[in-house]
Each structure stands twice: as C-alpha cells, then as structure tokens.
Amino acid sequence: MWLKPDEILLKNAFKLWVTEDDNEYFVLQRRRGYGDGGGGLTGLLVGTLDTVLDSTSKVAPYRILHHTPDSQVYWSIACGVTKEEIVQHWEWLQQNIMRTLSVFDSSEDITSFVQGKIRGLIAEEGKTSLVLEEDPEKFREALLRFEKWFELPPKEKLVTYYSCSYWRGKVPCQGWLYLSTNFLCFYSYLLGAEVKLIISWDEIWRLEKTSNVILTESIHVLAHGEDHYFSMLMHLNETFVIMEQLADYSVKRLFDKESFQREPALSDPLQITKRGLEAHAKSEQFRTFFRLPKEENLLEVHESFLWVPFSHYNTLGKICLSENYLCFASQDGSQCHVIIPMREVINVEKSDASSRALTVCMRGKRALRFSEVRGYQLLANTIRSRCGISASPQHSASSEAIRGECQSLINHFEDNPEDVTLMVGQKDSSKAVSTEALMTVFHPQDVENLEPKMLKEKMKEQSWNIHFSEYGRGTSMFFTRKTRDLIVRGVPEALRGELWMLFSGAVNDMATHPGHYSDLVEQSLGTSTLATDEIERDLHRSLPEHPAFQSDTGISALRRVLTAYAYRNPKIGYCQAMNILTSVLLLYAKEEEAFWLLVAVCERMLPDYFNRRIIGALVDQAVFEDLIRENLPQLVEHMTDLSFFSSVSLSWFLTLFISVLPIESAVNVVDCFFYDGIKAILQLGLAVLDYNLGALISCQDDAEAVTILNKFFDSVTNKDSPLPSTVQQASVGNNDRASHLNVDISELIREAYEKYGNIRTEDVESSRKRNKLHVIQTLEDTTKQNVIRVVTQEVQFSASHLDDLYNLFKRQHFLCCYWTMKSPALLHHDPSLAYLDQYQLGFQQFSGLFSLLEPWAFCNSKSPLSLWVFRLIDENQDGLVNFKEFCYALDTLYSGSFTNKLKFLFKLHLPPAFTGSPLHLKEQRIIPVAEDSSHLSRLPAFDLPEDGVIKKSPERGRGKVDLQAYLKQWQTEILRKEETIKDIPRINQTQFIQFSKTLYNIFHGDPEEETLYRAVAHVTSLLLRMEEVGRRLQEPSSPSESTKSADAPAAAEEEEPSQEAGTDLTEMQWSFSFEQVLASLLNEPTVVRFFERPVDVHTKLGQARVAQLKLKANK
C-alpha cells in the first residue's frame, strides 16, 4: 500500500528493522519478528508493540523508504502485509522511477519528484477505494491492519475503529476494536498471547452500556450465549451509538426487510460510513420528533433565537432544515416547537446585519422572526431556493398578488371553516369516497342543546379557539406545554379529526399526495387477494355496536380505506387490529384523512406493528417491562416473571387501548397518542398497573390478575363525553359497571402524565433499539427450535449437532447477502413462510457449504458433483434447498448404512441429478456465479422469474395462496412409500462411467487408495463380463427388445442419432441395476470398510465454522 510520504528518523529504528534490499534511492526493510527466523523473544516484543501502538510503520511487517545519497533523511513511501505485496511495489519503483531519477541534478528535485509521484498514485487509488473518511491517510492504515488480522472478504467495509480493552474473564486485553458493516472485530497481541474476535452483527442478542465495581463504564455484547465486555474507550458514547446503529442496520437488512426497504439511504452495504450513519441517525431523530414524511432528511442545523409572540420574548433553539420543511425546536426548557412546510412560505426577508435576523413570511399573514443566526444570508437564500423549486406557478407572482390571494383565502375560510382542509392542498375526492366523518353523519351536534356535558364541550372548544388565536392554527401552529395540557384534558369532538391530522403529520402526507387515495381506491376496486378476503371477514367485527358500522355507509368506507392501504403497502397488506383502529379514525376524520392517519400510524408512529410477526409490538412490550422494573418495584418483587404483562398488554399496544376501553374513553387515549406517540401508551399502561397495584400484589395467579384488569377497564368512564348512551356502550363487553367504582379517563390520563411524564422519548427510542435485538433473536431462536424439532425425527444427528448445522446453514444464507444489495437469497427470505422455508440455499451457497461438510472431499466448487447433489436433494425442483433436505443428504453420507450411501451415490448419476452425456459434462462444470438458480434453466419444465428467485408463496396482499396445491403436496408426502432398491432405475453406459469416476475421486488421497482403485477396477470388469454373458444369452430370442429395454434410460437422456448409425450405437449400449452394483461392491471388503468408516461430526462442524468465512474471502 502506497503511503503519504512521511519523514522518519532511523537512528534508533535499526534495532526493529532488517534491510532486505536496497539501491541508490530506495530501501526495502522487514520488521524483526516477521518472516524467516522471526520468532523468539524479539518476535514477541515487536508483536506486542505493533498491536498496542497506532502506527502503520509499527504494524506493517514490510516497508519501503526513499532517501538520497547526500541526505540523512528517510521518507516512508510504502508498506505491505506480505512479502509478495511489497515486492510488487519494489519492482514497480525499479521499472518506472529509477530510470527517471538519473535525469535530475539535485537531491531536492529527486525527493520532490518521488513524493509527487507517490501522492498521485494514492489519489488514483482513492478514486476506486472504499476509503471515504475525513482522515483518509489514518483510515488507510487502520484498513491495512483490519485486512491483515481478520482476513475477511475484500468487499467488507470498515466503518470505524477504536482503541479499547477486551475482558477475558478477569484479565483485560489491550487492543483494537474494528466496526465494519457486517462484523464486530477485536484484535490483541500481548507477549505471544493473541486474541482475535469476530462476531457478525446478526448474531448479537444484547448490546448495552453497563458499569460495575471493576468496570466503571463498558459496552456489553451478548452473542452465542457468551458475554463480551469492552472498556477503556476514549469515546464510549460515540462507540456505543455506532455499534447500535450497525446492529440495527444489520437486523433491518437481514431479518426485517419491510422497514429496511423504507430506508434507501442505507441500501448499499459497500457504501456505509461513520459519517453516513451519523447523518442517518440525526435525520431519523429529526423525522420522529417533528412527525415528518420518511423522505425528509436533515440538511442543515442553525442555532438561533425565535421571537415567540404569545410570550413576548426570544427563545433559544435550533433551526432544522430539510428538503421541504423548516422546523424550530427550543432548547431552554419551554418545550416549544414549530413546523413550517416550504409550500406555506411566501417570502424571506433579511433584517439589518447587526442582529443577523431573518423573517419568514407565510400564508395567512403570519411571520416568524429568527435572530442571531450564524450564516443568516446563506440560510435565507437556501429557503428561497427551496420554496422556488417546490412552489406552484402562482407562488412566483408579485408580492402584492400573493398577499391579495392569501387575504381572499383567509376571508373564504373565515366564512367557510369546514373547507379548511383545502389549505393543505386536498384534491377533490372521488364521488365514491365519503367526505364527512362518520360521527358528523350519525351523531350531529345540536347547537341549541344546553345540557351540562354539551356546555362543557363548548368550553373545551372555546379553550382551543383561544389557543389557536395565540399560537396559530394549522400546519405552522406552535406546539407548547399548554398544547399538551389541553390534550390531557380532552379534545372536543368537533376538532378531533383536525388535530389528529396535525399532530400525526398526516396533514403533510395528504398535502403532498393530492388525489393519491382516490387513485388507490380505483386501482384496488374489485381486486381479490388474501388481504381483501381477511378484510371482508373482519369488516362486521369492527365496533359492531356503533350505529356507523351497522350501516353500509360505515362498512363501505372501512372497506375502501383498508383495501386501499393493503394495495399501497402489500408488505403489510392487512393485519388484525387495523380494522379496529381504522374504525375509530373514520368516526372523527374524513375518509381520505382516515387513510393518511392509518399510513402515519403503520409506517411511522408504530413501526413494524402490523406485520406477520408484530415485531414492533413485541419490542414495545419489552420496553414496557423495563419501565415496570424501573417504576413499579413492588410489583416486580411480587411477580418475578413479567412476561404475564407482555401477554396481557399486547392488545393495549396493538389497538391503543381501543379494544379494552369504552369507545368514549379510548378516543382520549388516541388524542394523547397522536401528540406524544408510544410514550403516551407506555405512561397509561404504567398508570393502570399502579392504580391496581394493591389488587395485583394480592392476587394468587395470572387468571385472577386478568380478571382484575378487565373489571378495571370496564369501570373506566368519560364523564365529559357528549355522546349518547347507545354509542358509549358500543365497545363495552361487560355491562356490569355498577358494582365497581368508576374511574374517569381524564383523571387517569392526568395521573399518568403527572407520575410518569418524565419518561423521555429519547430513552424510549434507545430502549427500543436495545430490545429489538433480543426480540428478533428470540423469534429466530424459536424458528430454529421448531426446525430442529421437525428434522430430528428424520436424521440421526444429535440435537447439539443439528444446532451447529443450523447456524452454519443460516450463516451461509447470509454470507451472500452481506456484500450485495439484491441477492436472490435475501429477496426470497420471508419470515411469514413455514419455518423450514424461511432460510434456503441456492446452488452457489449450497456448493460452498456442502464442500466444507461432505465427508470425502469429492465435491469441490468446480466439480459438477455439487450440482448433481443439489438437483438430487431439491425434491420440489424450485432451485432452493431447505435445512431438512440438506440434513437428509449429510445424514446419509455421515451415518447411513453402506447400502444407503451407495444408493445416494448411484442416484447422483441418474436423472434429475445427472442429465448430460460426456459431450455435456464440460457445460455442466461451468456454473455461473451471478445467479444462484441459473442451472435450473437447463431443466425442461422450469420458468425462472426475472430476479432469479422462485417464490414459494405469493407476495402478501397481492396474490392468493393456492391452498389446493398445499393440500396436494401434504397428501403426497403422507402417501409417499419407502423406496426399495428395486424401484431405482438402471444405470446406462455413460452414467456408469461417470459413477466409476466418482468412486475414484472419493478414494483419492486415502491411505488405502491403491487397494480401493483395484477393487473398483475389479468390480467394473466383473460387471462388464456379467453384462456380456447376459447379452449373449438373450441374443437368440429377441435382440431388439432386450436392447430397447436395456437402453430405455439412455434414450431419455441423449439426442437421437441418425437412423443408420442408431442400430450400431444401440448394440454397443449396456446397463446395470443397483442390485448388481451393490452385490459386486459388497464382495470388496476394502470398499465396504471405507464407506462404513465413522465420521467425527463434531470435528467436521468445528472445521467448517472456521473455514466458512475464509472460503468466502478466497472466492
């Protein structure tokens, strides 16, 4: 590796370096302790020094120095891990530089030329290099060590590295921690003791910061049941955040594709950098806080003061700028933030330079004044350019025209407040789409009603109107503590839909996608999928007692929203609980608004909740358990197993308490959820348990605890609800409320905010990331246990060996996914499939793993035998082998009887495994690497899709599952009878010759190789003589018939020759049955002993574990 020329002093360096070669201008040196004769005490000391110190010159075992005869100064210009690498550099210097140097007159000119040439080489290398870091030179040095120590595939992208201590037992090892895209690596070398650790991110169960008496602060990593601790980090928090991001990236990419595909910024694993991860994390935090669409990225941050008109003072905070939004969040504890869509901005004015202020003018005669903004002129220009790009033609008109248009709009909306949604760019909906909230249709408010509840409702509305007058209304409203206080007290019925849209950010989604919902409704109309079938089944189970869903109006609206969403997002499609949530949304929001609220909930606010494995809900339940341990220690002491609360609270999270609370109370919870996100649900869950703490502690079993909680939920009321009794009782399953003390929902929510309002959103997100690893790995472990339980009945492997085999199989599946964006295996992986089909190997993956595990080393990667084995065990010929099929093949070769092993080898040379004549063998040896299932194109009854992946089940939400096909497959498996040796077809001449070659390959390298070869030769000649005798005995009777019957298998495989040559060729053909081959080989004790020789499975699996990554690296 060429290095940036660096001056070094050689006075004390000769003790550590040995000169291997030199000339007038360059010196090639080897470090003591490396190469020939490099052991002994010197090697130990130098190796230790190289590991602890951070310098390439002290790590690379070879280097090249430049000097001039009349100078004592040396310059390091290259280093190398191997002698071959450094010799290449040395020869290049000899051929390209030495002749040129003789032209120069002075030493200074020579040194300047060499340095310029080396810098040019480095710059040229950097164009195609993976080094995209802030300090490329230092990163190049770290990359050199990383590649030397861990020997990972060249494509593996190093992200960053840190000096730290790794604790092995009670002894710390000082070394270097390397964090790459797919692996966590550590290396230490102290006085001959080498410690090397490689853990893939997808194997990590837990990642957390810990501290104890010995380790003040450390990072704890749990993988494969082993604990690893890293401490003495200069930047522990930074290190932990990067590790957390890489682990989360790996989990999303390999296990949770649905959420990963929503993040195009990190789609290419070869382009991941520390800077990129940090930027992505900041953008994610930015979008979460301000509830912005997933396409937004944080581009600029400016510290400034914002003039707050309702408080009459400047509040300190940060301006956050994205592609389409200008946001501000205070940092002085006032909890004030505001979101300004660029589409609402009509002008940006710069004030005097002394205050460095700028004023952002918006529609509706509103303006925000920012002051003390560093770079305010550049920021103003940026906002102007973004508004100019995104604005419609009329926005580029003169200032006066804009103001006139805004004023006319304001006057219109004052006269017609119901049309306020037009301000966010709502397109006229289709006539088939309902344009009114169902509550407005089925329970219109009576203005003249003077009942106390209605008067209180009017007072709430008045409070919100005052709030709007002070803090603004619509997308650019100020969010403050007062906003939260009003939310806790309850949102008035008339404003609920508008505020839900605002707080969730759905108002921005709808504004930027006008007409999208109507298009989806039209496109999905009449479609029939698995999702639509499930939707139809659940339509009448959604708030069935509410009048709105006892009529076709409500049912049709619900059907349209759910079907449109399933069409929009087929990865989620439709899941239970979505119908309940959507029903409530339709009560208070117009149909299109309800759709965008559903989008906001499913894709932003509750990520991964509504899929087959409900990962998001399980993660939040784990977060809830952590909060119970922290806030309710008395409950933890009484109930040590908190998994009970996970099972009970699942419906709380999935339906936002709608399924357990009366509808009039549940909507208050939904109010808080749209404002505060999942934090509101966690707080309320803690408040519920706290309220029932005494009863829960005294209960004897889980059933009693469930009864207590159910009675409590039935007793929750909303004393301020203006809804009629028929509606209020709609979602209550138990009408026996009178016997229990009623609890007001507003009081319960207020208590939740008072007691547990200190829970920070940042802490919740951090806990989510930490628990997600454990939840995913628990689900993966469940899959593994179920697969092993099925397979163990079919094979003789022990449970521990099957466990190791499964880990190898799964890692092989992932190895092709680590360094590519769209590997067929990754595209095919679907957690919703049956356990056995979740992880499968294509041919290239199978070939690599099988060559490591098969017992006789007869299947190398270039041999066609791997292809034949793959075809043989791929029973359904889908181009993918599952774990059961893989284990069956290995079990036969490891533990099968002599007859079964021979039968396996015999069938390798029959269709569908062996399909070619000698002329085709060359073609079969050439297996394309690019497509895992490319070899299947040679099979006649096979159609490959464009991506090379054969999907066993249709994409959810798009197609129906063919249940008849599954039933037929199961029936076939049940009725399948045990194959006897008489059922095996005969082997023809071509196949038998190849079978003999396979036996020779198997015996190659064995101590008894010559004896085994002679045995095979003897058996072959014996079989040929037997066939010749049989042919002569049959000749008088009917030669043509015997020939035809003997050649039936061959005729199916080979092209028909011309008619004239056909007779001669047919007479030459012969074939053998499996019984003949078996009987002949049983008479050779050497062959029998060879095949019955036991295989050390444990050793074989251990060797495969070590070699698996190296095999990929060598490729």
Side-chain angles (χ1 to χ4, degrees), residues 465-750:
N465 288 329
I466 294 170
H467 183 276
F468 292 147
S469 64
E470 290 183 5
Y471 300 93
R473 185 169 188 171
T475 50
S476 54
M477 183 181 84
F478 281 91
F479 295 79
T480 65
R481 283 178 179 166
K482 190 172 180 181
T483 314
R484 177 180 277 115
D485 292 341
L486 287 173
I487 288 288
V488 171
R489 279 187 247 161
V491 175
E493 300 280 318
L495 296 175
R496 191 160 264 138
E498 177 189 342
L499 293 175
W500 285 358
M501 289 289 289
L502 180 63
F503 297 149
S504 66
V507 64
N508 293 315
D509 290 324
M510 192 168 80
T512 52
H513 297 84
H516 180 63
Y517 174 66
S518 299
D519 294 341
L520 286 176
V521 170
E522 290 176 12
Q523 291 166 12
S524 62
L525 191 67
T527 57
S528 178
T529 65
L530 180 63
T532 57
D533 289 348
E534 292 177 347
I535 289 168
E536 288 298 325
R537 184 190 63 204
D538 287 346
L539 281 177
H540 296 277
R541 303 177 186 176
S542 312
L543 305 185
E545 296 181 25
H546 196 287
F549 298 100
Q550 294 172 358
S551 71
D552 186 59
T553 305
I555 294 295
S556 297
L558 182 59
R559 179 188 291 111
R560 286 192 294 270
V561 171
L562 292 174
T563 306
Y565 185 79
Y567 191 86
R568 165 193 160 88
N569 191 343
K571 294 293 181 184
I572 292 179
Y574 168 77
C575 292
Q576 284 188 339
M578 286 173 68
N579 62 318
I580 298 173
L581 177 61
T582 309
S583 301
V584 174
L585 298 179
L586 282 167
L587 289 178
Y588 294 97
K590 297 176 182 178
E591 190 174 318
E592 185 175 5
E593 293 174 343
F595 170 79
W596 287 112
L597 283 168
L598 183 64
V599 170
V601 171
C602 294
E603 297 176 13
R604 284 204 308 272
M605 302 187 72
L606 295 179
D608 301 329
Y609 261 60
F610 302 98
N611 54 32
R612 297 290 177 185
R613 302 199 291 177
I614 56 170
I615 291 172
L618 296 176
V619 169
D620 283 343
Q621 285 181 300
V623 174
F624 187 49
E625 285 185 21
D626 290 345
L627 290 173
I628 292 173
R629 291 188 185 93
E630 184 180 336
N631 294 281
L632 299 172
Q634 291 175 285
L635 194 59
V636 176
E637 289 174 12
H638 179 72
M639 304 181 74
T640 52
D641 183 13
L642 296 182
S643 59
F644 160 74
F645 294 110
S646 294
S647 58
V648 169
S649 64
L650 182 61
S651 62
W652 304 358
F653 291 96
L654 281 174
T655 65
L656 309 179
F657 284 91
I658 295 170
S659 62
V660 293
L661 285 175
I663 186 66
E664 74 276 7
S665 301
V667 289
N668 285 38
V669 179
V670 179
D671 296 338
C672 299
F673 167 75
F674 278 124
Y675 190 83
D676 272 324
I678 194 62
K679 174 188 163 187
I681 305 300
L682 293 168
Q683 289 174 181
L684 186 62
L686 290 173
V688 168
L689 296 181
D690 188 17
Y691 195 94
N692 295 279
L693 186 62
L696 290 172
I697 289 176
S698 62
C699 66
Q700 301 299 317
D701 53 30
D702 291 352
E704 188 178 347
V706 170
T707 304
I708 289 169
L709 291 174
N710 285 340
K711 287 182 178 179
F712 170 77
F713 286 128
D714 287 342
S715 68
V716 175
T717 61
N718 187 348
K719 62 184 181 182
D720 298 332
S721 174
L723 299 180
S725 57
T726 53
V727 174
Q728 288 194 24
Q729 294 175 357
S731 63
V732 179
N734 181 7
N735 294 323
D736 184 22
R737 289 202 212 169
S739 58
H740 303 98
L741 186 63
N742 287 343
V743 180
D744 184 59
I745 187 64
S746 298
E747 291 297 318
L748 187 63
I749 290 174
R750 186 181 56 77

Side-chain angles (χ1 to χ4, degrees), residues 1-6 56-57 76-79 118-119 122 137 140-141:
M1 185 176 80
W2 298 109
L3 299 175
K4 181 181 176 183
D6 187 24
T56 303
S57 60
S76 65
I77 60 171
C79 65
I118 298 302
R119 287 193 178 97
I122 292 172
E137 189 62 32
R140 281 164 59 88
E141 298 174 6

Side-chain angles (χ1 to χ4, degrees), residues 40 49 90 116 118 141 170 218 246 419 492 562 570 592 603 611 617 626 662 674 728 839 898 906-907 1091 1106:
L49 191 66
W90 180 261
I118 298 302
E141 298 174 6
K170 296 181 180 180
S218 63
L246 284 168
D419 291 345
L562 292 174
E592 185 175 5
E603 297 176 13
N611 54 32
D626 290 345
F674 278 124
Q728 288 194 24
Y839 294 108
F898 173 73
F906 189 87
K907 290 170 72 174
F1091 282 110
V1106 174

Side-chain angles (χ1 to χ4, degrees), residues 249 260 262-268 271-272 276 280 287 297:
Y249 167 77
F260 178 72
R262 299 196 293 266
E263 297 182 9
L266 296 179
S267 59
D268 188 355
Q271 301 301 322
I272 299 297
H280 178 263
R287 287 191 298 267
N297 293 294

